[in-house]
Amino acid sequence: MTTATTGTAPVTGAVGTAHTRIEGLAKVTGAARYAGEIPFADLAHGWLVLSTIARGRIRSVESAPVLEMPGVLAVLHHGNAPRVDGDYQGLLGRPDPIVEVFQHDRVPFVGWPVALIVAETSEQAREAAEALVVHYDQEPHDVAFAAGRPGTYVPEADGMRVEKGALEAELAASAHVVDAEYTTPEEHHCAMEPHAAMARWDSGRLEVVDSNQGSTWVADELAKLFSLDPASVRVRSEHVGGAFGAKGLRVHQILAVMAATVLHRPVRVVLTRRQTFSLVGYRSPTAQRVRLGADADGRLRALDHQAQSLTSTVHEFVEQSAGFARPLYDADAHHTVNRVVRLDVPTPTFVRAPGEAPGSFALESALDELAEKCGIDPIALRARNEPDVGPVSGLPFSSRNLPACFEEGARRFGWAERDPRPGLRREGRWLLGTGVATATFPVLVGPATAAVTAEADGTFTVRITAADVGTGARTALTLIAADALEVAPERVHVRIADSDFGPAMIAGGSMGTRSWGWAVTAAVRDLREQLALGGDIPPQGITARSDTTPLLGTLTKKERHSYGAQFAEVAVDVTSGEVRVRRMLGIFATGRIINPLTARSQFIGGMIWGLSMALHEEAIRDQASGAHVGADLAGYHFAANADVPLIEADWVDDPDEDDPVGIKGIGEIGIVGAAAAIANAVWHATGVRHRNLPIRPDRVLLAGGAAG
């Protein structure tokens, strides 16, 4: 613990010290209000109507009877909605054409928006929406996903195919070869808080109160879409109850703006749980083939990872699962490729650890199979293939503390006592096994602006368009600012999630806190220089502003990644095929930890999601209708409290010397490798490999993995 001195008052270093959430009391007492519950005068309510066909055209929308229903104010659809322009480049490139909502009569998938009912109350809007009749001209559709099916292609974007060395020759020369196929199903974010947005016009400015991962991002996209001056759009998102990649620009914000423009009054649109299954993206199913070739001593000669995912017919999104292998293991021949196929389904999107989560299941399962063939401990095999530089890029690593993660994890998990032979440990009807896997996620950073004000009362105010999506970002930024200012955290007030504060990177890709912390420390540095000149602070305070855009251009090219080692112990019921995870341990190397309290929650939350991915989550699409079977939290099964065992997460020292605070990022990595560790543990318990997720009881029984 460090101590600094400002004036005559000693203060304690805040970064690295556990601190409860700044907004914690407000959240547990209900004082923190989310986008769907903030009151506004004269508020109207919108309810979406979605298509019931998977492909075709809208012939007619029978709005006249609905307009006669109590409280109904408007029925917006493709025949009367305001015009928008989706021909632009946003933060993430060209937007999904779904943002051009109600602009034509085409229907590309089940769940496509076809109308919005606006009424005085949400109950009236819902009743009218359920009564609205829409006629379609239906066309044949195709939603069937399978490995290597016709129409599969390699996208033109950079990084979809990376090749080094002579793959087939190295495989042929290998003493041990693994050639296996793995699948993961469609998975959904299912954030606790629904997607909600209120839009209104106030003195010529558009104001949107939203639940999002970046208020500047949403404001900029709305300005482009509606051809508005960016300065005339303000988006606020004070509290967010989970996002995970789903809360960017979606149709509910656009429709709220449309309705507010037509009716000249505030309008709120809230998506139902069922609607989120088609409107906010999801993780594509994957089909992956991994081929590994190794010498007799386990050194990799060949690594081939081929991944296939799906996308919609209207927009290309690729779940880049094959990219997981590129920074991890060295091999003489190193080939990775991502392929995609267009189907009559909604467009997938980013879901926690996009690419890395399904990619790690395939590669880390294959490595476990290779360890078995080589007769080498799985941890020793990974250590034997540790690279000195980026296996494909040849760039130096900023830091790589993966071996330390495995060393500490093995010690705490009791790995040395493990008998490597499968199917030997048993307690009554339960077969027991342990497994391990590697986790990694790239270290990213984006430009951000921040303002820090020294107030006349001796406090400091930080303004930055950060987003706290449940991670504790508001608290982390308070600690970062306090350390930079050398004052107690109680003297720092952080205001976030208002686009009027200026551009800042979104909460995503584990780069939020790193990007925002950089901007805050830069602004503090300039503020302290101003304060060093002396003099009293005026009533309006003294403010310093920063923009990290030029600073990021000075970063040298390196392989920048966070790492982790995932350990799991499972029990498999020989009578029912049920798999129970008994304990999990994750040890991570993810840069400097700002707040141990919330950081541990992030790691554990990701690991629980990995458990859910391994054993439970699976969205099923009906081939005949093109729609989901059970698009709700009753039909889409995920891990509940009773499914979650003792889970421990910790870390090794791993500060990033190229970051002013030492941050790498922790939001995504907790899920990476967790499913593979559990699958490898199931093999160790039963002697049967499971290459298709989730590992359901029926699959265990059919595979004979619960025999005995």
Side-chain angles (χ1 to χ4, degrees), residues 415-442:
W415 188 261
E417 289 77 45
R418 177 186 191 259
D419 188 325
R421 295 173 296 173
L424 296 182
R425 292 177 60 201
R426 185 164 182 162
E427 290 181 1
R429 70 177 194 269
W430 297 96
L431 293 171
L432 307 182
T434 53
V436 71
T438 300
T440 189
F441 196 82

Side-chain angles (χ1 to χ4, degrees), residues 30-320:
R33 294 182 300 186
Y34 291 79
E37 57 188 6
I38 300 173
F40 291 94
D42 199 30
L43 180 67
H45 300 266
W47 199 280
L48 263 170
V49 179
L50 305 183
S51 71
T52 56
I53 67 168
R55 185 181 179 91
R57 291 186 180 275
I58 303 167
R59 191 187 324 135
S60 64
V61 178
E62 304 298 332
S63 58
V66 168
L67 286 167
E68 299 298 320
M69 295 180 70
V72 174
L73 301 170
V75 180
L76 297 181
H77 52 82
H78 72 279
N80 64 5
R83 299 294 93 184
V84 296
D85 183 6
D87 186 17
Y88 67 84
Q89 290 288 326
L91 177 68
L92 302 179
R94 290 186 63 85
D96 185 337
I98 196 173
V99 303
E100 298 179 277
V101 61
F102 300 165
Q103 303 299 292
H104 54 76
D105 63 356
R106 289 292 308 171
V107 175
F109 55 78
V110 171
W112 180 264
V114 296
L116 180 76
I117 310 295
V118 187
E120 295 288 353
T121 70
S122 61
E123 292 82 6
Q124 291 169 333
R126 178 176 184 173
E127 183 180 9
E130 292 173 348
L132 182 70
V133 175
V134 180
H135 297 288
Y136 302 95
D137 291 324
Q138 193 167 357
E139 301 170 5
H141 64 265
D142 182 4
V143 299
F145 177 76
R149 54 152 292 158
T152 301
Y153 65 95
V154 178
E156 295 181 0
D158 292 340
M160 293 298 165
R161 185 193 297 271
V162 177
E163 298 180 351
K164 180 189 81 170
L167 179 67
E168 299 301 332
E170 294 295 345
L171 283 169
S174 296
H176 303 287
V177 174
V178 169
D179 185 345
E181 295 183 356
Y182 305 84
T183 68
T184 61
E186 179 179 320
E187 300 167 358
H188 287 259
H189 308 81
C190 297
M192 187 177 296
E193 180 206 12
H195 291 64
M198 184 286 308
R200 66 178 178 180
W201 290 93
D202 184 12
S203 302
R205 290 193 82 196
L206 173 64
E207 180 184 12
V208 176
V209 176
D210 188 25
S211 175
N212 65 51
Q213 293 175 237
S215 292
T216 307
W217 175 26
V218 173
D220 180 65
E221 302 255 344
L222 288 174
K224 289 182 169 68
L225 197 63
F226 286 93
S227 302
L228 299 171
D229 179 353
S232 69
V233 181
R234 182 188 188 191
V235 175
R236 292 183 290 138
S237 182
E238 180 70 12
H239 297 291
V240 180
F244 314 115
K247 288 184 175 174
L249 182 70
R250 302 296 178 190
V251 295
H252 64 295
Q253 300 123 323
I254 300 160
L255 293 175
V257 174
M258 283 184 175
T261 302
V262 170
L263 296 174
H264 306 289
R265 62 186 287 188
V267 177
R268 175 181 291 146
V269 178
V270 182
L271 300 184
T272 68
R273 180 65 65 188
R274 293 185 67 86
Q275 289 171 349
T276 64
F277 273 74
S278 62
L279 292 180
V280 304
Y282 55 96
R283 196 193 305 280
S284 166
T286 71
Q288 303 177 59
R289 182 187 183 190
V290 178
R291 292 190 293 170
L292 303 175
D295 289 342
D297 62 358
R299 187 185 67 83
L300 284 172
R301 299 186 64 134
L303 189 158
D304 179 36
H305 191 171
Q306 303 176 42
Q308 180 183 323
S309 60
L310 61 74
T311 192
S312 70
T313 59
V314 297
H315 189 65
E316 183 182 88
F317 181 89
V318 185
E319 184 78 19
Q320 298 184 43

Side-chain angles (χ1 to χ4, degrees), residues 25 80 129 165 193 195 213 251 262 269 314 333 400 434 460 510 516 552 584 602 644 692:
L25 181 62
N80 64 5
E193 180 206 12
H195 291 64
Q213 293 175 237
V251 295
V262 170
V269 178
V314 297
R400 187 179 170 101
T434 53
F460 297 85
S510 288
W516 308 323
L552 301 187
M584 294 181 73
Q602 281 295 292
V644 179
N692 306 292

Side-chain angles (χ1 to χ4, degrees), residues 526-536 542:
D526 291 348
L527 178 62
R528 295 188 66 167
E529 290 177 359
Q530 294 184 48
L531 295 177
L533 299 176
D536 294 333
I542 298 175

